[in-house]
Amino acid sequence: MGRPCEVCCNLQVAGGFDKSKSHPLALKSGMQILVRGTEDFRKSGDGGCTTCAFAFKSLLHFGFSPESSFRIIIRVHAHGACDLTTEDFTMQLYTPLGYAPAWEGISQSSELSLVSGSQQALRFISACLSECDVKHLSCKRPTLELPTRLIDVELPREDEVRLIETPGMPNIPYVALSYCWGKGGSLTTTKANIHAMKDGILMTRFPQTLQDAVAVTRALKVRYIWVDAICIIQDSITDWEIESSKMATVYQNAYLTIAAGTAADATEGFLHRQHLVADHERPYHSDWQNSNGDKTILGARIIPSSESHTLDQVEEDSIPLTLRGWTLQEDILSTRILTFARDELWWACQTQQCCECHSMDSYHNAERFLTIAHPRDAFERWQTTVEQFSVRALTNLQDKLPALSGIAKVIQDITGSPYIAGLWADNMVLDLTWSSGAFLNENIRTMPNSRLAEYRAPTFSWVSVEQSFSFDHGHFISRSRIPPGKWVPAGTLVEARSAAVGQNPLGRVQSGFITLNGLVIETTLQVRVNKILGELYEIAVDQVVNSFTPDTRLEEFEGINEDGVLEKSVRRSPFESTSRSAESGAPVFLFHLGDWHSTEREVGRRNYLVLGRCPYDLRKFERLGLHQQDFSLSAPVLERRDSALMRTVTLL
């Protein structure tokens, strides 16, 4: 075999080409990234490279100007897939199904669907289900438990469905729906209409998203579907609490979850959406001969960009379903989920993830939630999950814990740990290292009061704040490939309890406390004036001063302690409080949770809870925020101040 073309590298990762002439941007993760211009392809094609000639002709086919100065980014994956990105589109090279591959590993699939509700889209769904049923042993989960109610979509009249009660029924397959309710006002089951819903429901009464979900269910020849608005009695607090506590089993046991990704409101539907490829020329095909001498077809087609194949997008590019709080656990808990995305369909099961264009085939398939077995992995996954959840929206902020109760049930089954208002007793010290960057460098005078008018969670829980947050995972460089450091705990949990409200033991709470034992340092807040940012807080620990960002706006108060003495302390500013923010010299307490040690970089990071006295019980404390302090592992240990003592403290 001759040397690869120095312009296109034969669109395969190879070590034999001259890297100094091919100008690769990077060679990482088994993927070669090259930058070229149309003139490079034209000249190389004229010189005899058939691959460059094909690339040049296909680019012209899709309207790319040969005079364009825009450089073309070529991604060549180690397994053989390849795509070219211009300023206007991403073009994938592929071989249609039914033909020998043009080269080993090239993408092979059916043509992409033009509309989400087309027969081509249905064939993709059926193919994914068939492959999963036959090949994926880890995805075989029999329906061990039916939801309390289901919708029967196979009635004599095609324009009618009905609600059924499942007790006594055999365990039969059903589809579950994940969707955005939107502004509301659509049909729901209530105590007043439940009997009528069992008699029959005209399809025209359903919002379009539910109608579309029924259509897909019927097309897959499944008789039953679960939809929360219809299968839960919405004006019954008891029924809502009981059924919301069963979310884990509802989605785990479903034959398939349909995710209406593009519909921001239940009235919008998702089967009518026209996909990206409908706006472009049809695929470009050329006769080809592979390295084995087989005659075949090499094709080029427009596909969604690589950035659109991930949920990690900026908000304006995200599909509506990924912005809502409740839908996160519906995705995570589903054994198999089919997402109607903006420009194609996505599939994910416990074994693989893919999309219609098969770009996802080359992505790292992260461990699905239902395959986690070790408690340490479960706790880590919980932290990353609630971080994702914290950036999503909820119509009712009191739903924070209920919207995660299905995931919490899975974590509890793995770990056996008591659940304390969004944190785990067996991982409590690490779970307390959450902090929010939402108020980083914000003037303390303009910081909002985040506490709600009504109780939602104890102050030590992330549930008690509205803003997004993250845990300290032990990384010392953002997005670094260096593994996290070693956690060295300093504090210990003595006792932890929370009291649930209603029938869902992992749902809303009415109270909670934790008791910790460890080193407590008495210190004060200091206000530093920044000419640009305004007034900021600082805290000094062991002669080192660091900035401090609180969970919410803080204010000072006075109360009578257990010795009958008037004592000043700091608290989170209550809802609608107009008191002035806490000033320099305001007393606070630091509880040493533990340190991360990075032996690779010879540095460490201490984590302190910043505490204030509890306003209604000065013997106890409330959380004000998290304070962190970097230090050198090789530096001498400074002597602790007299104000540092081992104490047992209770947080409310």
Side-chain angles (χ1 to χ4, degrees):
M1 181 181 292
R3 288 174 60 82
C5 169
E6 292 188 352
V7 172
C8 70
C9 306
N10 296 355
L11 299 184
Q12 298 178 62
V13 172
F17 62 89
D18 188 339
K19 295 183 180 181
S20 66
K21 294 181 180 179
S22 61
H23 307 298
L25 281 183
L27 180 60
K28 58 181 181 179
S29 303
M31 179 172 66
Q32 180 71 53
I33 301 176
L34 311 169
V35 179
R36 299 291 183 266
T38 49
E39 187 64 10
D40 297 324
F41 289 125
R42 186 192 65 77
K43 288 181 178 179
S44 180
D46 291 345
C49 177
T50 54
T51 307
C52 282
F54 177 85
F56 180 72
K57 292 176 182 178
S58 57
L59 286 166
L60 297 185
H61 172 77
F62 292 113
F64 191 74
S65 172
E67 286 79 35
S68 174
S69 61
F70 187 86
R71 307 295 283 175
I72 299 163
I73 300 173
I74 308 169
R75 294 181 180 88
V76 186
H77 300 270
H79 57 78
C82 175
D83 59 71
L84 289 74
T85 299
T86 75
E87 58 183 336
D88 297 319
F89 56 79
T90 296
M91 183 181 77
Q92 179 191 61
L93 273 60
Y94 76 109
T95 295
L97 283 181
Y99 293 88
W103 56 74
E104 185 179 355
I106 191 172
S107 296
Q108 285 190 277
S109 67
S110 301
E111 300 302 340
L112 307 184
S113 61
L114 302 181
V115 181
S116 55
S118 64
Q119 286 300 308
Q120 186 62 43
L122 179 61
R123 281 193 286 271
F124 172 76
I125 303 171
S126 300
C128 290
L129 283 168
S130 178
E131 180 177 5
C132 186
D133 285 339
V134 173
K135 298 181 179 179
H136 301 167
L137 296 178
S138 63
C139 299
K140 293 186 181 299
R141 298 179 64 89
T143 305
L144 302 175
E145 179 183 348
L146 288 176
T148 305
R149 304 175 192 90
L150 289 169
I151 303 170
D152 186 350
V153 303
E154 288 188 8
L155 299 187
R157 289 180 52 178
E158 191 172 316
D159 65 343
E160 191 175 41
V161 297
R162 69 186 179 101
L163 183 66
I164 63 166
E165 301 273 355
T166 63
M169 288 180 58
N171 289 335
I172 37 80
Y174 65 92
V175 166
L177 177 64
S178 176
Y179 69 109
C180 296
W181 280 42
K183 298 178 180 179
S186 299
L187 178 67
T188 62
T189 295
T190 64
K191 289 182 284 188
N193 70 7
I194 186 170
H195 294 296
M197 302 285 266
K198 293 178 182 178
D199 292 336
I201 312 164
L202 287 175
M203 285 285 292
T204 53
R205 296 187 64 198
F206 276 175
Q208 191 60 51
T209 293
L210 272 63
Q211 292 187 42
D212 288 353
V214 169
V216 174
T217 303
R218 287 171 171 170
L220 296 176
K221 303 188 184 311
V222 179
R223 180 166 182 173
Y224 302 100
I225 184 172
W226 186 89
V227 180
D228 56 0
I230 308 301
C231 297
I232 300 176
I233 303 173
Q234 295 298 319
D235 62 348
S236 168
I237 295 176
T238 300
D239 193 69
W240 188 89
E241 290 173 346
I242 292 173
E243 296 304 312
S244 67
S245 70
K246 298 179 181 178
M247 288 295 186
T249 57
V250 168
Y251 286 95
Q252 283 177 7
N253 292 332
Y255 174 69
L256 175 70
T257 296
I258 297 171
T262 57
D265 191 283
T267 60
E268 294 180 12
F270 58 90
L271 289 183
H272 64 285
R273 185 177 183 86
Q274 185 169 285
H275 288 162
L276 170 74
V277 295
D279 297 328
H280 290 272
E281 293 289 336
R282 299 296 292 162
Y284 176 76
H285 287 170
S286 177
D287 292 333
W288 199 258
Q289 183 171 304
N290 64 23
S291 59
N292 296 325
D294 300 323
K295 291 184 177 181
T296 184
I297 296 291
L298 178 60
R301 62 187 179 188
I302 302 301
I303 64 169
S305 67
S306 59
E307 291 78 12
S308 72
H309 284 89
T310 174
L311 298 181
D312 185 19
Q313 305 171 38
V314 293
E315 184 167 325
E316 56 266 25
D317 294 328
S318 299
I319 55 177
L321 195 68
T322 64
L323 303 177
R324 304 300 303 174
W326 277 96
T327 60
L328 179 62
Q329 74 170 358
E330 295 165 6
D331 174 25
I332 287 175
L333 296 176
S334 294
T335 301
R336 308 191 294 194
I337 185 167
L338 191 285
T339 302
F340 286 81
R342 184 168 284 113
D343 290 312
E344 61 178 343
L345 275 60
W346 297 344
W347 165 272
C349 61
Q350 302 306 301
T351 305
Q352 72 173 19
Q353 57 184 2
C354 67
C355 56
E356 288 188 76
C357 72
H358 288 270
S359 290
M360 284 182 171
D361 293 2
S362 62
Y363 290 10
H364 170 66
N365 189 25
E367 183 182 27
R368 292 289 292 176
F369 208 88
L370 301 182
T371 62
I372 296 172
H374 195 278
R376 179 72 268 149
D377 296 333
F379 289 139
E380 290 178 359
R381 189 61 178 271
W382 171 260
Q383 289 187 349
T384 58
T385 298
V386 296
E387 286 172 350
Q388 297 171 37
F389 178 79
S390 73
V391 303
R392 295 190 175 211
L394 287 169
T395 301
N396 183 356
L397 291 177
Q398 290 288 353
D399 284 349
K400 280 196 171 188
L401 289 172
L404 288 168
S405 60
I407 299 175
K409 178 65 166 63
V410 174
I411 297 294
Q412 193 167 66
D413 288 344
I414 297 170
T415 65
S417 174
Y419 184 58
I420 312 295
L423 291 78
W424 297 96
D426 293 350
N427 197 52
M428 182 60 71
V429 175
L430 266 175
D431 275 356
L432 289 169
T433 65
W434 64 268
S435 62
S436 174
F439 303 138
L440 183 66
N441 294 328
E442 181 167 339
N443 191 324
I444 62 173
R445 306 302 177 192
T446 59
M447 194 173 290
N449 304 0
S450 293
R451 175 172 285 180
L452 293 180
E454 55 184 348
Y455 183 86
R456 189 168 69 211
T459 62
F460 58 80
S461 170
W462 52 265
V463 183
S464 66
V465 300
E466 284 72 62
Q467 64 270 22
S468 62
F469 63 89
S470 61
F471 294 91
D472 186 349
H473 297 285
H475 293 285
F476 286 81
I477 301 177
S478 179
R479 300 183 180 275
S480 171
R481 291 176 178 267
I482 298 176
K486 177 185 178 182
W487 174 250
V488 181
T492 58
L493 178 69
V494 177
E495 187 178 7
R497 292 184 189 177
S498 63
V501 176
Q503 302 297 312
N504 185 352
L506 304 178
R508 297 174 182 173
V509 296
Q510 59 186 351
S511 64
F513 74 89
I514 57 173
T515 300
L516 305 171
N517 181 261
L519 189 74
V520 176
I521 302 171
E522 294 187 33
T523 185
T524 59
L525 293 177
Q526 299 298 321
V527 176
R528 173 174 60 88
V529 178
N530 182 290
K531 292 181 179 179
I532 299 175
L533 302 174
E535 296 181 78
L536 307 175
Y537 283 130
E538 291 182 334
I539 291 178
V541 185
D542 296 337
Q543 304 172 33
V544 178
V545 179
N546 288 108
S547 61
F548 164 60
T549 303
D551 296 333
T552 73
R553 193 172 74 85
L554 304 179
E555 64 183 44
E556 298 173 54
F557 74 97
E558 292 181 333
I560 304 297
N561 64 25
E562 57 186 328
D563 296 324
V565 177
L566 185 67
E567 183 174 345
K568 180 188 292 186
S569 190
V570 178
R571 65 179 178 183
R572 293 181 176 185
S573 294
F575 183 69
E576 294 186 341
S577 171
T578 58
S579 297
R580 184 173 174 80
S581 297
E583 304 284 359
S584 285
V588 294
F589 302 83
L590 303 183
F591 181 90
H592 188 194
L593 291 171
D595 305 337
W596 282 104
H597 289 184
S598 173
T599 54
E600 289 87 353
R601 303 187 68 235
E602 286 296 314
V603 294
R605 182 169 57 246
R606 291 200 171 91
N607 279 266
Y608 297 97
L609 279 183
V610 183
L611 308 176
R613 296 283 188 184
C614 179
Y616 50 89
D617 187 347
L618 267 62
R619 296 170 301 175
K620 299 179 174 62
F621 298 83
E622 67 173 37
R623 172 185 161 129
L624 306 179
L626 185 76
H627 181 62
Q628 295 178 312
Q629 182 185 87
D630 292 337
F631 63 95
S632 171
L633 293 178
S634 59
V637 178
L638 295 174
E639 185 175 335
R640 291 285 186 186
R641 296 178 302 175
D642 293 339
S643 57
L645 299 171
M646 294 297 294
R647 295 176 59 176
T648 298
V649 296
T650 296
L651 280 64
L652 302 179

